[in-house]
Amino acid sequence: MGGWCKSKAKALECVEATNRKNYMTDQQLKELLNDLVKQPLESEWVEFKLNFHSETEIGETISALSNGACIHNQPFGYLVFGIEDKTHIIQGTTFKARSAKKGNEDLEHWLLTRLNPKIDFTVYEFDYDTNRHISIYIIPATKNQPVEFQHQAYIRIGSISRKLNDFPQKQAKIWKKDIVPFEKEIAKDNLSASDITKYLSTETYFDLMKLPYPSNQQGVIEKFLEEGLILKSNGYAITKLGALLFAKHLKDFESIERKSIRVIVYKGKNKVETEREKIYLKGYVMDFVDLVDWINSQLPSNEEKGSGLDKVIFYNELFQLPPINAVVTENRTSVSMYSYKILNNLDKKEKIRDAMDEKLIKEDDPENKSRKYASYIPYWA
């Protein structure tokens, strides 16, 4: 879900745009509700109410549920109108959350401007059946900072919203909460099981892992849940890891579309002039083989190929080039080769007689008295 606009005057407009963009279908909402009513009677991230009591109560509950979801590692908290609190029986409500007002102001906007930090909650209304209407607030868990309503943070204790300051241990859990790693963040939410195979190349995963493709859709879902490529959220959600690796089209994921692979071939040794470039628009796993092949195709056709240092030394001697310079460090070995130089232009380290004095080389046959036919080997040989 997209971030909120910073300007209060634009806040409601942003809410509406977000809802249009990621709006859940009635069927998805019914499935979500059926899952929620199976929750235990007391929960810090799910709250059921039959009907509207007050705007302030809603604001305090939103704060409490966002904080509670964070503490319990849930991506969202839920405030549902139309459910009997103690029995979890779906009865329906007369409360119309999306059209509700506080004075002359839309209730959504009124709540938003009194929350700090601003959180991207979403409001839905739907008919569970012809006789039962439901309103639901879907509230993202806060990150690293308690959510306050009118300058006060709340938490659910049993069925009551209490001030978070009265429970310092719970408050500390929010402040100390690790930031969700990038790869575990949600790239696309509110999805059905069939949407997973629509947006991700699930076949590629099983091919690479050399696993038989499951005989049913649920088998695919369970494996992707196990690998952290998707999550069970509002329906299902694709993580950024899943999208980056297996997306059929990265443009389907707005938050990571700009992370597509781009390979650039520059002219010369600087980045002033570009010769060509190629952009890969699928997940990294999907395009990896093509990526490597294309990079190899851009390398010079006469690039030296061989079996290592022996071949380097052979050609170095064949073309009478200065000695190579090998530098070994903790993490790498680098080898420098130099173009041809006349004897007078060689430095001390490049001259054999200095190499002998430095005891870097020795004569292959010490008994040979002829300098013309002398040969040398490394000192350690």
Side-chain angles (χ1 to χ4, degrees), residues 85-204:
D85 185 30
K86 302 206 178 286
T87 64
H88 292 192
I89 294 174
I90 303 172
Q91 292 193 5
T93 183
T94 58
F95 177 51
K96 307 287 187 179
R98 287 192 56 78
S99 58
K101 292 186 176 294
K102 169 67 171 175
N104 294 324
E105 187 176 7
D106 287 322
L107 179 58
E108 286 184 62
H109 183 252
W110 185 85
L111 292 168
L112 171 66
T113 56
R114 285 157 178 79
L115 292 169
N116 182 51
K118 301 292 188 293
I119 53 174
D120 193 7
F121 70 81
T122 312
V123 186
Y124 294 98
E125 290 182 20
F126 66 100
D127 290 325
Y128 188 77
D129 54 29
T130 55
N131 297 317
R132 292 178 288 182
H133 181 80
I134 301 295
S135 287
I136 181 170
Y137 289 79
I138 298 179
I139 305 152
T142 189
K143 296 180 180 180
N144 301 101
Q145 177 182 349
V147 171
E148 298 178 347
F149 175 71
Q150 294 184 330
H151 311 293
Q152 179 65 59
Y154 294 88
I155 191 71
R156 296 294 290 175
I157 303 296
S159 60
I160 302 172
S161 292
R162 301 280 300 276
K163 292 180 179 179
L164 183 58
N165 291 340
D166 295 338
F167 300 89
Q169 291 182 332
K170 291 182 180 293
Q171 188 176 39
K173 288 182 179 180
I174 297 175
W175 286 110
K176 294 179 180 180
K177 199 77 172 179
D178 293 333
I179 297 175
V180 177
F182 172 83
E183 64 273 14
K184 293 183 179 181
E185 292 181 0
I186 292 176
K188 203 173 191 67
D189 203 356
N190 304 337
L191 303 176
S192 64
S194 61
D195 286 331
I196 301 302
T197 54
K198 172 184 175 182
Y199 292 114
L200 301 182
S201 178
T202 54
E203 299 89 348
T204 301

Side-chain angles (χ1 to χ4, degrees), residues 356 359-366 374-381:
M356 288 284 290
K359 301 187 183 305
L360 299 175
I361 60 174
K362 63 182 180 181
E363 291 181 310
D364 185 25
D365 182 7
S375 59
Y376 304 90
I377 58 177
Y379 75 93
W380 43 261

Side-chain angles (χ1 to χ4, degrees), residues 245-296:
L245 294 180
F246 295 103
K248 293 180 179 178
H249 304 285
L250 284 174
K251 64 179 177 59
D252 291 332
F253 302 89
E254 183 180 3
S255 62
I256 61 169
E257 183 180 2
R258 291 172 60 86
K259 295 188 178 295
S260 57
I261 298 175
R262 181 184 180 210
V263 184
I264 305 173
V265 179
Y266 293 102
K267 186 176 182 179
K269 296 182 179 180
N270 55 48
K271 297 182 180 180
V272 174
E273 188 173 350
T274 300
E275 286 191 345
R276 64 188 65 87
E277 69 176 74
K278 190 173 179 66
I279 299 176
Y280 291 85
L281 301 177
K282 298 179 182 178
Y284 296 172
V285 170
M286 306 286 291
D287 275 335
F288 183 75
V289 173
D290 288 342
L291 167 68
V292 174
D293 288 344
W294 192 82
I295 291 175
N296 286 333

